[in-house]
Amino acid sequence: MSSKITVDAPLVILHGDEMAQVAFEKILDTFVTSRLDIPLVEIDLSAEQRLTSNGQVIIDAVEALKQHGVGIKNAGMTVNRTQLGELLAKHPELDGTKLHPLATKSPNGAIRKGIGGNITREDIPFRNLQFDPPAWIGRDIVVDTMDVGGIKDSYNALSDATGVVKLMFVGASGNPVELHRREVRKGDPWLLATNDLEDVKAWAHRFFQRAIDEQRDIYLGLKDTVISGYDGVMRAAIEGIYETHYREQVEALGLHYFYELIDAQAARLVANPPERALWGVPDNTTGRKLFKLVEQLRQFGIPDRKAQVSISRMSAGGGDQYGSFNAPAEEDGILKVIVDGEERHARHVSKGDPILLMSNDRVAIKDWILQVFRDASRKGKEVYFGLKREYMEYDEVFSTAITDVRRELADGGTPPPSFMIMRPSSQLIKMITDPPRNALYPAQNLDGDIFSDISAALGGSLATASSIIESKDGTMLFEAPHGTAHDLYLKYLETDGREAHFNSSALLFAVANALETLGEREGNAALIDYAQRLKHALIDTVDAGIITGDLKGKTTAPEAETLVDMEGFLDAVASRL
């Protein structure tokens, strides 16, 4: 007779890439299939499978999640130009010019939008991890951002009709060409932003020359994988200037240049600041937030952290940059935004200028805010919204929705939790320098990515936070907030699997959360008990000082720590079951 716990409901398993996938397979073998009699719906979301299926596996994943309701997603890599070329060379039968965007872009946004899910990220409640604040006071780090263009100089408005937003382009031919269209409802916010590529290049020259003149290491951060037609265009122009004009000078001076996605880079620099650096963040809305944060940290530092931090990201509506149309202008001309047949805005662009058109769904915004308040009430959290209401009609919609939801809750006899609305820069500074003991920080997509990566890094490691995606209809997707750990994977391959250095805590916690949710939905007491024991075993293992290398010296008793690799850590957790 089997000693396995029987589970009737299927669990959706979305596989990923690199070191995270090695860990995921070990976790599934050790804690799921060997202990549970459970039907698994497994979908391969690796970069190669997304490419060879022309993005179909992402559609399959969304359908499976909507059908079965509970899933676990592993980290998958978003291919850069070099990696895409390598994959296409491996599959000569594929025509790289005919690929669907889902084949090469990050699958995360498409899945979240497909299931209508918003993200909440929380610290895993480890008891013995201590926060050792990085030495920020007096650090000679300066943030440099563009003064013009982008979201700062966007045209944003509310749709005064239900209909279609069209982005039209009139070039040398004089004939209007439709670049993009999307449906909007009355009251939905939309925004058009462009950047003058010549301004970007001029900024790049000033940026690199400043780093050379001031003898600073150089950091550049953009979100080119997700916003490839906007941030990616800027990155290509900036790095082209670096390679042509400045690389030799920088290297001759012994300085270093680092490019990284802005969310990962912000986490790295805030948690482990270099001695002297120039941090380039061309996107001026992000750049100004980080400029204010760095100025605060240089003066006052980061205090001891005794709070659990939660961040809710609005992604279900497909709004802000992640749900945008973004592409460079193919020639000089005029952009026009037509809303329900009426021209609302026009501006000149030059060939190569990056263009971004984004909108949001007012109903989805309201659903998200209701979810934020519901989560905060359930867990006794204070809520701190970050909105740019003083010049952004786009953000004013969020403020109106907050008021509407608050009134509806009060009318229904449910008092909303304590909340404040502040600027996003103040929200970020509060989260890092003055977090209440139990607070929730709602943010839009790009801010949410940056804020949550910083918070996770300050919490000990990107592997010490959990991520939950919840839709209005109850679909739940659990994941780890970290990436695929490319560097660790290369070392794993070089040593034929002998060196498996990876903290699998977040993945394991995601599995336990998914199993617990599945147990609650089918009234399976044995499964609920097992999932809760799995969480306790994970926390108790770290509490006993058995840790992976990323947490070395970060426990309350560093002298009693036992460093293990990924296999050793998972074996230690399993022994506590």
Side-chain angles (χ1 to χ4, degrees):
M1 183 174 178
S2 174
S3 60
K4 293 183 179 181
I5 298 169
T6 299
V7 185
D8 295 327
L11 178 63
V12 178
I13 303 291
L14 306 181
H15 293 284
D17 288 294
E18 299 188 321
M19 202 63 214
Q21 182 58 25
V22 175
F24 197 40
E25 290 172 2
K26 169 77 173 176
I27 288 170
L28 292 174
D29 288 343
T30 306
F31 300 103
V32 179
T33 56
S34 66
R35 296 170 185 266
L36 307 174
D37 183 6
I38 180 173
L40 300 179
V41 178
E42 300 188 68
I43 298 173
D44 183 358
L45 285 186
S46 64
E48 186 168 359
Q49 190 63 28
R50 299 196 312 267
L51 184 71
T52 57
S53 72
N54 201 21
Q56 181 60 42
V57 289
I58 298 174
I59 298 170
D60 295 343
V62 170
E63 290 305 313
L65 290 167
K66 289 165 75 173
Q67 179 182 350
H68 300 296
V70 182
I72 308 163
K73 181 186 173 298
N74 196 13
M77 70 178 188
T78 304
V79 295
N80 56 32
R81 291 188 296 271
T82 301
Q83 291 165 329
L84 177 58
E86 291 171 350
L87 284 173
L88 288 173
K90 185 178 177 181
H91 295 279
E93 73 279 7
L94 297 177
D95 183 350
T97 65
K98 296 181 179 178
L99 292 174
H100 191 280
L102 290 177
T104 56
K105 291 187 175 182
S106 167
N108 298 339
I111 291 173
R112 291 162 191 159
K113 185 175 181 180
I115 66 173
N118 298 305
I119 309 166
T120 301
R121 291 187 179 180
E122 299 179 322
D123 298 333
I124 298 173
F126 291 114
R127 296 184 293 266
N128 66 319
L129 292 186
Q130 61 180 355
F131 173 56
D132 186 14
W136 255 100
I137 294 178
R139 287 290 168 118
D140 195 1
I141 300 172
V142 178
V143 176
D144 197 330
T145 191
M146 291 186 64
D147 292 328
V148 297
I151 305 295
K152 180 174 178 286
D153 292 328
S154 70
Y155 184 89
N156 61 95
L158 306 185
S159 174
D160 54 11
T162 294
V164 175
V165 171
K166 295 180 184 178
L167 182 63
M168 308 296 294
F169 178 77
V170 182
S173 70
N175 297 320
V177 176
E178 184 178 307
L179 298 180
H180 181 72
R181 66 163 58 198
R182 59 176 60 193
E183 293 181 3
V184 292
R185 284 178 279 196
K186 185 175 182 179
D188 287 355
W190 60 269
L191 177 154
L192 174 69
T194 58
N195 255 316
D196 185 323
L197 199 59
E198 293 307 311
D199 286 345
V200 174
K201 292 177 180 178
W203 175 85
H205 280 292
R206 292 193 300 271
F207 172 66
F208 290 123
Q209 191 59 55
R210 179 182 181 183
I212 289 169
D213 292 344
E214 298 178 8
Q215 302 278 292
R216 297 177 184 273
D217 285 333
I218 303 165
Y219 292 80
L220 177 70
L222 285 157
K223 195 69 175 175
D224 63 288
T225 54
V226 177
I227 323 171
S228 57
Y230 194 77
D231 281 30
V233 171
M234 289 193 283
R235 178 189 176 185
I238 294 165
E239 290 195 324
I241 285 170
Y242 174 71
E243 293 292 339
T244 304
H245 299 282
Y246 297 101
R247 176 187 280 277
E248 288 186 8
Q249 296 179 65
V250 168
E251 292 179 349
L253 290 169
L255 302 175
H256 298 92
Y257 167 77
F258 306 92
Y259 177 79
E260 202 167 10
L261 293 178
I262 186 59
D263 42 351
Q265 188 172 75
R268 188 185 307 280
L269 265 65
V270 171
N272 188 24
E275 290 292 337
R276 183 173 171 82
L278 186 63
W279 187 4
V281 186
D283 172 50
N284 46 37
T285 52
T286 299
R288 286 182 296 166
K289 294 182 193 85
L290 294 173
F291 175 84
K292 292 176 182 178
L293 173 66
V294 166
E295 291 301 299
Q296 181 88 2
L297 297 183
R298 289 172 60 184
Q299 185 174 359
F300 301 108
I302 301 177
D304 289 338
R305 183 186 178 105
K306 298 181 175 65
Q308 299 290 319
V309 172
S310 300
I311 297 166
S312 178
R313 267 181 56 198
M314 196 243 163
S315 58
D320 70 60
Q321 292 96 319
Y322 286 16
S324 69
F325 164 81
N326 55 93
E330 293 187 359
E331 59 174 318
D332 294 359
I334 299 174
L335 282 177
K336 296 183 177 182
V337 181
I338 313 294
V339 182
D340 198 37
E342 249 184 82
E343 183 179 313
R344 296 294 182 176
H345 179 69
R347 62 172 59 185
H348 287 276
V349 289
S350 300
K351 182 178 180 179
D353 286 355
I355 300 164
L356 181 145
L357 176 73
M358 67 192 200
S359 65
N360 218 319
D361 183 332
R362 193 179 186 282
V363 174
I365 292 170
K366 193 172 176 181
D367 288 341
W368 171 57
I369 291 167
L370 184 61
Q371 182 180 311
V372 165
F373 281 155
R374 201 167 51 233
D375 182 45
S377 294
R378 188 168 62 239
K379 299 177 181 177
K381 297 175 181 176
E382 299 174 4
V383 181
Y384 296 86
F385 288 96
L387 298 173
K388 202 75 174 174
R389 295 180 296 173
E390 62 269 32
Y391 67 85
M392 292 284 288
E393 286 190 63
Y394 195 96
D395 279 19
E396 185 62 40
V397 173
F398 289 78
S399 179
T400 304
I402 291 168
T403 301
D404 290 346
V405 170
R406 182 172 179 250
R407 184 182 302 114
E408 288 174 14
L409 287 172
D411 290 346
T414 304
S418 171
F419 74 95
M420 288 183 63
I421 299 176
M422 53 183 60
R423 293 183 178 184
S425 55
S426 300
Q427 181 191 35
L428 175 60
I429 289 170
K430 183 169 186 61
M431 185 190 82
I432 294 174
T433 65
D434 184 31
R437 185 161 294 279
N438 195 20
L440 178 63
Y441 300 86
Q444 295 180 54
N445 253 321
L446 183 56
D447 279 357
D449 246 359
I450 295 169
F451 294 5
S452 57
D453 276 14
I454 293 173
S455 177
L458 292 177
S461 163
L462 283 173
T464 61
S466 66
S467 182
I468 303 167
I469 302 168
E470 179 181 358
S471 73
K472 184 180 179 181
D473 66 6
T475 301
M476 302 284 285
L477 179 61
F478 300 88
E479 63 180 357
H482 56 65
T484 61
H486 178 69
D487 293 345
L488 298 180
Y489 185 59
L490 292 180
K491 178 63 73 175
Y492 176 80
L493 294 178
E494 289 170 6
T495 61
D496 293 324
R498 291 189 302 276
E499 292 192 27
H501 300 296
F502 181 82
N503 187 341
S504 49
S505 296
L507 270 176
L508 188 56
F509 201 75
V511 168
N513 272 332
L515 294 175
E516 185 175 25
T517 301
L518 213 57
E520 290 169 348
R521 292 190 176 184
E522 68 173 40
N524 190 329
L527 181 58
I528 294 170
D529 176 67
Y530 172 70
Q532 292 175 347
R533 286 191 293 112
L534 182 53
K535 289 184 188 180
H536 289 308
L538 168 64
I539 292 167
D540 290 345
T541 298
V542 175
D543 196 43
I546 301 172
I547 57 171
T548 46
D550 58 312
L551 297 182
K552 182 181 179 181
K554 295 181 180 180
T555 69
T556 52
E559 70 285 351
E561 292 173 354
T562 301
L563 293 185
V564 293
D565 64 4
M566 181 194 77
E567 300 270 351
F569 183 76
L570 293 175
D571 288 345
V573 175
S575 70
R576 281 170 170 73
L577 283 170

